[in-house]
Amino acid sequence: MAYETIIVEIEDHVALIKLNRPDALNALNAQLMTELCTALKDAQANDKVRCIILTGSDKAFAAGADIKMMSEKTFVDVFSEDLFGPESDAIMRVRKPIIAAVSGYALGGGCELAMMCDFIIASDTAKFGQPEINLGVMAGLGGSQRLTRFIGKSKAMDMNLTGRFMDAEEAERSGLVSRVVPVKKLMEEARSAADKIAEKSMVTVMAVKESVNRSYETTLREGLLFERRVFHSLFATEDQAEGMAAFIEKREPQFRDK
Ligand code: CAA
């Protein structure tokens, strides 16, 4: 499919999706969200793809939801169309891992989109923020919910109430991002993490993603039981036998996703 607001490249086992609205700092409009969901669905369906990287430009991962698009809308419009609801549900349904490679601005919906990914690798120029309050609205895609779980109430409250930006160093210290690298190394680092994941058994990778995400949806007791049962169920796979045999035989495992 020909896209206008994103660029998709599939190389080896990795689908690279680049947000591409440079004139609007990759602001999320309806077309971009639709194209992103289609690309993610295609990557999910493509057996060759084992990991997805979502990125933007050096200047902006995404500067938020498109304010020009939203400025025309009324409550009835956004409520009736459930603005961004179907797209965020679709992103959360992707079972393959998604790494967000963030450089520059990740604000509002941009920060929230990065948080919908499985983990964030940031460049040292990244800036995260939930500045919606300056527009007379508030976060609508997870900025008051996921961010609070990721960095705790005090910092999430600070970000959402003052609209201040957090730099990459603070984001790493707070647990929002998993690694920070120089901007020139960002894609290399994301690619290397994706290659590492692509070597694993896909069944196991999807089980891990499901289990970690379950921790956000449930009590600790239920989550631990879910984790244990998924762990048990992986003993039904050939990859479990192969992974353990390879360790004992001191060789690299040959996973077959079975
Ligand atoms: N929506 C639409 N257009 C945007 C945009 C956005 N979120 N962010 C930037 N742009 C556009 C600007 O309007 C500008 O376009 P023009 O040249 O046509 O005027 C272009 O991108 C470049 O932006 P700036 O000239 O402002 O660039 P800058 O370097 O001076 O500033 C910035 C960069 C600090 C990121 C600033 O653009 C900014 O504050 N952007 C808005 C950030 C924001 O408020 N995001 C939250 C949106 S609401 C939301 O996301 C709701 C939700 O939770 C779902």
Side-chain angles (χ1 to χ4, degrees), residues 72-93:
E72 308 287 319
K73 294 185 186 284
T74 65
F75 164 75
V76 173
D77 295 333
V78 296
F79 180 78
S80 306
E81 72 184 74
D82 191 18
L83 183 65
F84 297 127
E87 293 87 354
S88 54
D89 290 348
I91 295 167
M92 296 316 292
R93 275 199 299 275

Side-chain angles (χ1 to χ4, degrees), residues 71-249:
S71 68
E72 308 287 319
K73 294 185 186 284
T74 65
F75 164 75
V76 173
D77 295 333
V78 296
F79 180 78
S80 306
E81 72 184 74
D82 191 18
L83 183 65
F84 297 127
E87 293 87 354
S88 54
D89 290 348
I91 295 167
M92 296 316 292
R93 275 199 299 275
V94 178
R95 298 183 70 203
K96 291 179 181 173
I98 311 176
I99 301 172
V102 174
S103 187
Y105 296 111
L107 305 177
C111 183
E112 295 166 306
L113 178 60
M115 288 192 286
M116 279 185 231
C117 298
D118 295 306
F119 61 96
I120 303 174
I121 300 180
S123 83
D124 51 7
T125 64
K127 288 188 184 61
F128 299 87
Q130 298 295 158
E132 292 91 338
I133 195 151
N134 298 327
L135 303 168
V137 288
M138 60 173 277
L141 272 171
S144 73
Q145 301 299 304
R146 285 195 187 93
L147 188 67
T148 307
R149 285 167 163 82
F150 292 176
I151 67 175
K153 177 185 165 189
S154 189
K155 274 188 184 289
M157 225 23 133
D158 179 1
M159 306 274 293
N160 277 282
L161 285 176
T162 67
R164 80 170 172 91
F165 300 167
M166 185 183 255
D167 66 18
E169 192 273 324
E170 184 181 2
E172 185 183 31
R173 183 158 33 91
S174 312
L176 177 58
V177 313
S178 72
R179 319 176 189 184
V180 178
V181 292
V183 64
K184 290 280 170 269
K185 295 260 179 205
L186 178 66
M187 295 319 295
E188 190 185 319
E189 187 78 9
R191 183 66 209 219
S192 140
D195 287 344
K196 269 262 168 295
I197 293 168
E199 289 168 6
K200 319 289 184 211
S201 162
M202 203 60 214
V203 188
T204 318
V205 164
M206 290 197 299
V208 168
K209 172 164 174 163
E210 209 168 303
S211 247
V212 174
N213 282 334
R214 185 59 73 104
S215 71
Y216 287 101
E217 311 285 348
T218 189
T219 61
L220 180 60
R221 182 187 290 264
E222 285 301 316
L224 287 169
L225 180 60
F226 179 83
E227 177 192 79
R228 198 158 68 247
R229 293 297 177 237
V230 176
F231 165 67
H232 292 159
S233 69
L234 290 172
F235 283 70
T237 65
E238 291 176 16
D239 284 343
Q240 171 267 334
E242 167 60 10
M244 293 191 182
F247 175 81
I248 292 164
E249 292 160 18

